[in-house]
Amino acid sequence: MDKSMLGDLANMPEEDQQRMSNMIDQLQIRDSLRMYNSLVERCFNNCVDSFRRKTLDKQEETCVQRCAEKYLKHSMRVSLRFAELNQGSPTPD
C-alpha cells in the first residue's frame, strides 16, 4: 500500500497505522472484486443469449471481449478523471 494514502496518520501509533493500512488494503480488494463481478454480470447478461453449448459461440465470445474492453477502458478513464480532480482540489489543513 502507498504510505501517502495514510496522510496525516503519521502521528498515530505504529499499531494503529498498521490497522489502518490493513483496512485500506481490504477495501481496495473489495472494490476490485466488486468491479470484476459487475463486469462479468454486465457482459454475460448483454452477450450470452442461450445455453446451447458449454462454450461461447464466436458471436458471444466477440461480444464479451468487446464488452470487457469497453468496461475496463471506461473504468480507467473514470479513475484518471478522479485523479485529475483530486490533484486540483485544495488539501485540507
Side-chain angles (χ1 to χ4, degrees):
M1 187 193 82
D2 184 4
K3 291 295 181 190
S4 66
M5 291 181 71
L6 293 176
D8 293 329
L9 301 178
N11 297 330
M12 294 175 70
E14 182 66 30
E15 184 178 311
D16 291 342
Q17 287 181 18
Q18 187 61 41
R19 247 186 262 143
M20 289 296 290
S21 178
N22 289 341
M23 284 175 42
I24 290 169
D25 289 343
Q26 289 175 358
L27 289 172
Q28 288 174 333
I29 290 169
R30 185 193 69 193
D31 288 344
S32 294
L33 289 172
R34 280 185 181 162
M35 185 178 120
Y36 175 79
N37 287 336
S38 178
L39 166 85
V40 169
E41 183 177 355
R42 176 175 288 170
C43 293
F44 181 85
N45 289 337
N46 288 341
C47 297
V48 179
D49 298 324
S50 68
F51 296 96
R52 294 183 298 261
R53 299 183 301 192
K54 288 193 285 186
T55 60
L56 298 175
D57 63 27
K58 186 65 176 167
Q59 181 180 354
E60 291 170 334
E61 189 175 332
T62 301
C63 179
V64 168
Q65 185 175 6
R66 286 183 182 155
C67 177
E69 286 174 4
K70 187 181 230 183
Y71 187 91
L72 292 173
K73 284 179 184 178
H74 173 75
S75 295
M76 179 64 83
R77 179 64 188 131
V78 169
S79 296
L80 290 173
R81 185 66 180 134
F82 276 126
E84 291 170 4
L85 292 172
N86 193 31
Q87 287 177 349
S89 64
T91 56
D93 293 325

